[in-house]
Amino acid sequence: MSRSAILLVGGMGTRLQPLTFETPKPMLPVAGVPFTEHQISKAKSAGIEEIVLATAFKAEIFEPYFGDGSDFGISIKYAVEESAMGTGGAIRNAAKFLSGNGPVAIFNGDVLTGHDLAGQFEFHDKNQAQVSLYLTQVPDARAYGAVELNEANQVLAFNEKMENPPTNIINAGCYIFNREIINQIPENKVVSVERETFPTLLRQGAKVFGFVDNSYWLDIGTPSALLKASQDLLAGKINSGATKKVSGDYLALPGSKIDPSAIIGGYSVIGAGCKVEAGARIWGSILFDNCEVEAGADIENSFVAAGFKVPANVIAEGNFFGFNP
């Protein structure tokens, strides 16, 4: 049976401002490519043949980059929300563009994960589940919704954020739905799968299972987390077929020019066409394309916008250069 996917990439990314003033969160560069490219690579490696990008904020930026997916070895279509419909509404809207009738993986557009997606599909089939949730364990579940399971890994309860959660197992942001479950979500209505769809399915006695996988998991929703995701991919702490190969401990994209006396490290990314002058130091940072770092500048754990020129001898840590609203 064919496998399909829906990628929820419609969010504004307010926690990532100012990076998201001009670029939607899922298109921010992570380890040299837009973050969405890592998720598309993961989908393809799990045997998914088609994917629909559920877009909203700055939707027009996605298609010029990904096209119909032929360059990425997967069929890609686009579902644009005119107004925010919640996770459930976005899934229902995007499903209309799927051609297959098999199970559908739903990805949150801001989670980097090393979990076994192919294994999740197999778990879904083995248990004849209607919905399978990827779950992971965290040291402290108070900031998340905790999920209770029975011995067969069937979901018993979803808990909202609470001071004393009954378990440290949380919803990790990748679901597999059978098509009949998606078809039950009301059309053209704001719906939250977490707060409405999942609890309703449990009340109805639906077969909802939890696939627990404690591999790498990171919500990239803040600037520091985005830097960590990029650094971890380049360092090989998590693998992605979309990650560019590095020499040493940084990535320099084509057309970049780095003076031999410059110091680059900390798994930084130097964007295409960038120029780094003599004596500059760049550590743990992401430089967007065609920017320039002048002589003697020292930047650490920072972002430099496309085309921006960092003045000579600047010393900065945790800064954002050139991102204007």
Side-chain angles (χ1 to χ4, degrees), residues 104-137:
V104 181
I106 315 293
F107 292 85
N108 281 357
D110 55 4
V111 175
L112 177 64
T113 166
H115 92 282
D116 182 2
L117 179 57
Q120 187 180 353
F121 271 105
E122 292 162 8
F123 171 89
H124 182 85
D125 294 340
K126 178 183 175 183
N127 288 287
Q128 297 183 315
Q130 293 173 288
V131 176
S132 296
L133 287 78
Y134 159 43
L135 308 174
T136 195
Q137 292 174 289

Side-chain angles (χ1 to χ4, degrees), residues 123-308:
F123 171 89
H124 182 85
D125 294 340
K126 178 183 175 183
N127 288 287
Q128 297 183 315
Q130 293 173 288
V131 176
S132 296
L133 287 78
Y134 159 43
L135 308 174
T136 195
Q137 292 174 289
V138 294
D140 184 352
R142 286 178 295 177
Y144 307 96
V147 180
E148 297 178 64
L149 305 172
N150 66 15
E151 292 181 356
N153 277 34
Q154 193 160 358
V155 175
L156 299 176
F158 294 95
N159 299 279
E160 293 294 323
K161 297 174 186 177
M162 58 179 66
E163 188 58 35
N164 295 298
T167 173
N168 68 337
I169 297 174
I170 65 164
N171 177 357
C174 179
Y175 323 121
I176 296 175
F177 281 54
N178 285 354
R179 289 302 294 272
E180 74 269 11
I181 297 297
I182 295 177
N183 293 339
Q184 291 176 21
I185 299 172
E187 275 194 277
N188 303 316
K189 184 179 177 183
V190 178
V191 180
S192 165
V193 289
E194 298 85 359
R195 295 182 178 84
E196 298 173 70
T197 305
F198 292 153
T200 298
L201 288 171
L202 290 188
R203 288 194 298 271
Q204 293 173 346
K207 298 183 72 174
V208 181
F209 281 79
F211 177 76
V212 182
D213 186 319
N214 292 316
S215 305
Y216 184 103
W217 179 84
L218 180 67
D219 174 350
I220 65 152
T222 65
S224 60
L226 193 78
L227 281 176
K228 177 174 171 55
S230 189
Q231 293 161 2
D232 286 352
L233 282 160
L234 294 179
K237 293 181 180 180
I238 174 172
N239 295 316
S240 164
T243 303
K244 305 294 186 185
K245 291 183 179 179
V246 298
S247 55
D249 60 353
Y250 70 92
L251 171 64
L253 293 178
S256 56
K257 296 179 180 179
I258 301 171
D259 188 276
S261 66
I263 299 171
I264 318 288
Y267 296 102
S268 297
V269 177
I270 311 301
C274 288
K275 182 180 179 182
V276 180
E277 294 185 354
R281 176 180 177 271
I282 299 168
W283 204 264
S285 298
I286 296 177
L287 277 58
F288 288 44
D289 293 347
N290 300 310
C291 63
E292 185 173 340
V293 179
E294 293 191 328
D298 188 331
I299 62 173
E300 186 166 336
N301 296 329
S302 296
F303 296 87
V304 182
F308 187 81

